[in-house]
């Protein structure tokens, strides 16, 4: 399990995915489906790259679940700009 305190540590450098997500956060991220879809598409591309790099095999339902959880977390954790 990931220790969430480590995720907030100033010593961690931002991942490309988090940088992209923060850059695309705008007013009403919670209600803006277009931004949520953009974030999901970009994160899907980055996820596939990581899965290929580490030779990890996931089915599409597992990938969709990861992406849904990521977007839900971004909605909660990243304040509207």
């Amino acid at each position: 399990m990931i220790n969430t305190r480590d995720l907030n540590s100033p010593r961690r450098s931002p991942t490309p995915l988090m940088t992209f997500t923060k850059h695309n956060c705008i007013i009403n991220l919670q209600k803006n489906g277009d931004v949520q879809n953009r974030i999901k598409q970009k994160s899907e591309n980055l996820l596939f790259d990581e899965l290929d790099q580490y030779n990890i095999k996931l089915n599409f339902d597992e990938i969709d679940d990861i992406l849904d959880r990521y977007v839900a977390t971004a909605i909660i954790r990243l304040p509207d700009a």
Side-chain angles (χ1 to χ4, degrees), residues 48-58:
F48 278 127
D49 291 344
E50 293 294 314
L51 294 175
D52 287 343
Q53 179 180 351
Y54 294 103
N55 198 28
I56 298 171
K57 305 295 183 204
L58 297 176

Side-chain angles (χ1 to χ4, degrees), residues 19-67:
T19 301
F20 173 83
T21 303
K22 284 183 179 180
H23 177 72
N24 284 283
C25 285
I26 59 171
I27 296 173
N28 294 323
L29 172 62
Q30 294 86 355
K31 297 178 185 176
N32 193 323
D34 291 337
V35 172
Q36 292 174 17
N37 287 333
R38 263 196 322 225
I39 291 170
K40 199 176 216 182
Q41 288 170 351
K42 177 66 172 182
S43 56
E44 181 177 40
N45 294 338
L46 293 170
L47 179 59
F48 278 127
D49 291 344
E50 293 294 314
L51 294 175
D52 287 343
Q53 179 180 351
Y54 294 103
N55 198 28
I56 298 171
K57 305 295 183 204
L58 297 176
N59 65 44
F60 288 111
D61 289 336
E62 292 169 322
I63 292 169
D64 285 344
D65 184 52
I66 291 168
L67 297 173

